[in-house]
Amino acid sequence: MTAPTERSAARELLVTLRLALLAWAVMAAQEMLLFARPTPYGGAYVRDAWFYCWRAFFYNLMGVALVSLPFLFRWLAAYRGSVRQVSARRWHTAHLVVLTLTVGLDHADNEVMRFLGTHLTLSLLRTYERVGAWGSDMLHVFTTDRGGPWLPFLLLFVGMGVTWWQGRRILARDRSGTRIWPVPAAWVAALLPLLVPLTSYNLPGAHFPRNRVRPEVVTLGLELLSEVQPTVAPADLTRWSRDWQARWLAGEGTGDWRFLGDERYPLVRV
């Protein structure tokens, strides 16, 4: 008896949802380890860990759903039809690769926030590269980390490894007996994990806790959007800069500081 060469698109949607749920669960474990550990310098990471932790769980749904959206739409568009098994396997493997990278990026972002109090961005990497910060000082910080020397790197490999390994196990299972949902239920299951946290994310108020725990894919997306948007300098930029410099120098009081006078970077002082 030969194995079937085609699969139901409805069953493949369930596989996609299982992979997304796996990535979300790994990211949730990473969040718990993040909030349970001190900063590299020995202080508490946050005062009220649960206040931030459950928000991280919630918004991670949005991050996983965003990267899964093309794969979800692939099966929703053909929900009542069938797909070749080889094609389905390629789609699922690509999805698993994306999810594994998302898990790794989110952990890296968590550790940057724990070390520096800011999100991991392309601008941050470029800045650290320019000032030559990747030297012996950074090595010393890693080896003396109060949350566990070199533990961030170990957790990175573990999180990505578990995601990939368990994802491959999900893909290897026989899905011939999987129950098929009605079409409306399939759309709700696919889109609700994105729409609910996305709506909450855009509500007014609670900006600081929301922005602190937002997924890395959201941070990178917002940064890329800001870079492609045209920047227009205000017409009175020179006057505004001079007034601000004068006020800052008057309040500083020591006389040891001066502004560089570079029109491109009017607020840079030494």
Side-chain angles (χ1 to χ4, degrees), residues 18-177:
R18 290 191 187 106
L19 291 175
L21 181 62
L22 166 66
W24 178 80
V26 174
M27 290 168 68
Q30 291 178 164
E31 297 291 351
M32 288 188 288
L33 290 171
L34 170 71
F35 288 100
R37 295 154 58 212
T39 67
Y41 318 105
Y45 178 61
V46 291
R47 291 184 178 180
D48 188 351
W50 180 241
F51 176 82
Y52 288 93
C53 198
W54 76 262
R55 285 172 169 81
F57 296 162
F58 182 59
Y59 288 121
N60 280 345
L61 281 175
M62 179 173 63
V64 170
L66 281 172
V67 301
S68 301
L69 206 55
F71 306 94
L72 294 170
F73 276 134
R74 167 66 181 89
W75 309 123
L76 287 170
Y79 191 71
R80 289 300 189 186
S82 59
V83 62
R84 292 184 61 192
Q85 188 172 3
V86 173
S87 176
R89 179 56 64 95
R90 289 173 180 170
W91 276 87
H92 291 317
T93 301
H95 186 208
L96 182 56
V97 169
V98 171
L99 290 174
T100 303
L101 292 175
T102 300
V103 167
L105 279 173
D106 209 64
H107 173 71
D109 178 55
N110 287 344
E111 292 299 330
V112 169
M113 180 65 75
R114 194 172 70 89
F115 274 82
L116 302 176
T118 187
H119 282 289
L120 174 62
T121 62
L122 298 175
S123 300
L124 180 70
L125 293 177
R126 288 193 291 261
T127 299
Y128 267 62
E129 182 181 7
R130 290 193 192 106
V131 300
W134 306 109
S136 57
D137 290 343
M138 191 64 68
L139 181 64
H140 175 72
V141 172
F142 292 146
T143 57
T144 59
D145 183 357
R146 299 290 184 85
W150 300 106
L151 186 58
F153 298 95
L154 175 61
L155 294 177
L156 173 66
F157 293 122
V158 169
M160 295 180 70
V162 167
T163 305
W164 180 258
W165 176 60
Q166 287 289 348
R168 298 294 294 179
R169 292 188 65 189
I170 290 174
L171 298 184
R173 293 172 187 165
D174 180 16
R175 301 180 296 277
S176 57

Side-chain angles (χ1 to χ4, degrees), residues 234 236-249 252 257-270:
D236 58 347
L237 178 61
T238 301
R239 179 184 60 81
W240 175 86
S241 300
R242 288 174 179 171
D243 290 346
W244 192 91
Q245 291 172 6
R247 290 197 303 272
W248 191 90
L249 291 172
E252 191 273 330
W257 290 84
R258 66 179 179 85
F259 288 88
L260 293 180
D262 190 333
E263 294 182 357
R264 298 171 302 170
Y265 308 103
L267 305 185
V268 175
R269 56 187 181 268
V270 294

